[in-house]
Amino acid sequence: MITGLCLHLNSALFLEPDRRKIDFTVLEKARKHDQEYKLCREFIHRLEAEFDLSLPVDETAYLVMFLIENGQVSQTDAPVVLLAFHGNGIASSAAQTVREIGQQDNVFAFDLPLNMSMEKAYEKLKQAILAIHRNRGILMIYDMGSIREMAKMISEETGIEIKFLPIPITLLALESARKASVYQDLSSLMENVQSSYEKYFPEIMKSYKRSMLKDVIITHCVTGKGGALQIQNYLESNLELENINIISLSIANFVEFEYEIQKISQNHNILCTIGTFDPHLYGIPFISVSTLS
């Protein structure tokens, strides 16, 4: 939060960002938070005195909304992700990798050994679901249907909402291995496997095709585009981003922000978003600006 505030204030004080006047409904929402509004207004007055300038009245509302937005999601009251795969350690390794890369504590694993009975697997999966549940449901990423069926029964038994996303890596590998013993030509093998995959898992194939598009990183700031541009400048100055474009967006109006994300995703593969707080975009990783160094 401190990092995000510094980015915004640097933009407001020195960069004169190009942004529209704050929406009246947003201003009214900010004023309903009486204590935060008074403190932010006092802070703005002190900034004006320190730097001998006059800031728009909108700045107080911007700071209030920034504090509200950054504190609105509770880590103990939010959805979690459960990776559930057949085999020993496959899900655990994938979950550990995700936690290390994304620095998130909301990704968990369930490994289903091939020799475990369904009765025992059901009880172990139920205990895992009860242990990780944070009152907002679970997104389960699974490899084969038997895990899904058990989880559906557990959901009915416990009342915990579970959504399912199939990633049939085991089935795909089995299919590829079987056909590799038949086809002698690599291109024919690839085309056949891809055709079968697209038929049974069209949504996953759409994601695969998107991955072949131009890669982009989205930088964003809750109070305007100035902070997002500062993040972009930092990335371009300190990282070698070969074949990766950076697009800066304002998140002050979240509906417009989501619309822009949808437009960009039609022709680009969005690698991640980087900003002052997580916009929780489905399928797009988030990196906090405070982790950049």
Side-chain angles (χ1 to χ4, degrees), residues 127-147:
Q127 292 304 314
I129 287 172
L130 290 171
I132 68 174
H133 178 47
R134 295 180 180 176
N135 304 317
R136 289 297 179 90
I138 296 172
L139 174 62
M140 174 179 283
I141 300 175
Y142 68 98
D143 63 344
M144 289 194 281
S146 57
I147 292 178

Side-chain angles (χ1 to χ4, degrees), residues 29 37 69 122 171 180 258:
K29 182 179 178 181
Y37 192 87
E69 295 293 344
Y122 181 90
L171 292 177
E258 286 189 308

Side-chain angles (χ1 to χ4, degrees), residues 16 28 36 71 146 182 208 273:
E16 298 182 359
E28 286 299 298
E36 288 87 349
S146 57
V182 177
Y208 167 74
T273 69

Side-chain angles (χ1 to χ4, degrees), residues 148-204:
R148 176 192 173 100
E149 293 307 310
M150 287 192 295
K152 287 174 65 176
M153 294 170 62
I154 293 169
S155 177
E156 294 174 0
E157 179 183 346
T158 62
I160 297 174
E161 184 180 11
I162 302 176
K163 299 292 186 182
F164 301 95
L165 180 64
I167 305 294
I169 184 171
T170 306
L171 292 177
L172 178 61
L174 286 169
E175 180 77 356
S176 300
R178 184 180 67 81
K179 291 183 175 180
S181 64
V182 177
Y183 288 90
Q184 300 298 313
D185 178 66
L186 179 60
S187 297
S188 298
L189 171 63
M190 175 63 182
E191 291 175 6
N192 192 279
V193 171
Q194 186 170 317
S195 177
S196 298
Y197 195 53
E198 189 165 9
K199 177 181 177 182
Y200 293 108
F201 306 102
E203 292 302 318
I204 297 175

Side-chain angles (χ1 to χ4, degrees), residues 46-280:
R46 292 173 65 180
L47 283 176
E48 291 175 325
E50 177 71 22
F51 292 96
D52 191 24
L53 49 74
S54 178
L55 292 171
V57 67
D58 294 354
E59 280 303 327
T60 300
Y62 272 122
L63 292 188
V64 173
M65 296 308 298
F66 185 90
L67 296 176
I68 296 169
E69 295 293 344
N70 273 270
Q72 68 180 357
V73 178
S74 170
Q75 292 298 315
T76 60
D77 191 25
V80 297
V81 177
L82 176 62
L83 308 184
F85 300 144
H86 287 76
N88 296 318
I90 297 175
S92 295
S93 295
Q96 179 64 26
T97 301
V98 172
R99 285 193 291 267
E100 290 180 1
I101 294 175
Q103 297 296 305
Q104 301 289 336
D105 68 345
N106 58 355
V107 181
F108 303 92
F110 176 75
D111 296 300
L112 178 56
L114 298 179
N115 60 353
M116 182 178 290
S117 68
M118 295 305 294
E119 293 81 5
K120 186 174 181 180
Y122 181 90
E123 288 302 319
K124 282 189 170 294
L125 180 58
K126 183 171 74 171
Q127 292 304 314
I129 287 172
L130 290 171
I132 68 174
H133 178 47
R134 295 180 180 176
N135 304 317
R136 289 297 179 90
I138 296 172
L139 174 62
M140 174 179 283
I141 300 175
Y142 68 98
D143 63 344
M144 289 194 281
S146 57
I147 292 178
R148 176 192 173 100
E149 293 307 310
M150 287 192 295
K152 287 174 65 176
M153 294 170 62
I154 293 169
S155 177
E156 294 174 0
E157 179 183 346
T158 62
I160 297 174
E161 184 180 11
I162 302 176
K163 299 292 186 182
F164 301 95
L165 180 64
I167 305 294
I169 184 171
T170 306
L171 292 177
L172 178 61
L174 286 169
E175 180 77 356
S176 300
R178 184 180 67 81
K179 291 183 175 180
S181 64
V182 177
Y183 288 90
Q184 300 298 313
D185 178 66
L186 179 60
S187 297
S188 298
L189 171 63
M190 175 63 182
E191 291 175 6
N192 192 279
V193 171
Q194 186 170 317
S195 177
S196 298
Y197 195 53
E198 189 165 9
K199 177 181 177 182
Y200 293 108
F201 306 102
E203 292 302 318
I204 297 175
M205 279 307 299
K206 288 180 183 179
S207 177
Y208 167 74
K209 289 178 179 178
R210 282 198 301 270
S211 70
M212 306 303 290
L213 301 174
K214 179 71 176 179
D215 290 334
V216 298
I217 293 174
I218 304 295
T219 63
H220 56 80
C221 183
V222 69
T223 55
K225 198 172 180 179
L229 287 171
Q230 290 184 79
I231 301 172
Q232 177 178 345
N233 292 335
Y234 177 86
L235 294 175
E236 291 174 342
S237 301
N238 293 276
L239 300 178
E240 294 183 6
L241 299 172
E242 186 176 354
N243 298 321
I244 299 176
N245 289 337
I246 301 176
I247 300 176
S248 298
L249 296 176
S250 168
I251 202 173
N253 186 318
F254 194 76
V255 174
E256 291 185 10
F257 175 74
E258 286 189 308
Y259 177 70
E260 290 297 325
I261 291 292
Q262 291 174 5
K263 286 202 305 182
I264 293 170
S265 65
Q266 292 175 3
N267 299 304
H268 299 82
N269 176 44
I270 302 177
L271 297 176
C272 65
T273 69
I274 302 177
T276 53
F277 82 102
D278 190 350
H280 297 285

